[in-house]
Amino acid sequence: MEIREPFHTYLEAGDEVVIEYDNLIRGRRHEGAVDEGDTGRQEFRVIAIFSIADGRISEMRQVPGVRAGDA
């Protein structure tokens, strides 16, 4: 799995960080994943919300959105 940079959105406010990014997965196919034809390549747009406590990530909530490029 590869997290694509640059991020589409990166926001910080207090102890919360929100990042919108694309995940690229290569290799074997996973049931229920969006498939890019016969290449075995899957790409997803993701929004993740991180809560920070004492300088460390204390919680991460992640929501896969749509296939990258569709948003």
Side-chain angles (χ1 to χ4, degrees), residues 6-51:
F7 302 131
H8 294 279
T9 306
Y10 181 93
L11 303 169
E12 289 182 50
D15 292 335
E16 300 282 330
V17 177
V18 176
I19 304 173
E20 178 185 8
Y21 58 92
D22 292 334
N23 267 346
L24 174 62
I25 300 170
R26 294 187 183 112
R28 55 180 195 206
R29 296 174 191 216
H30 299 281
E31 185 177 333
V34 177
D35 189 76
E36 291 288 325
D38 293 327
T39 64
R41 177 176 170 253
Q42 299 137 11
E43 195 167 348
F44 298 90
R45 177 74 44 91
V46 176
I47 295 176
I49 303 165
F50 298 88
S51 297

Side-chain angles (χ1 to χ4, degrees), residues 15-17 48-53 56-61:
D15 292 335
E16 300 282 330
V17 177
I49 303 165
F50 298 88
S51 297
I52 311 297
R56 302 179 78 176
I57 296 171
S58 61
E59 181 182 12
M60 176 187 174
R61 298 175 309 276

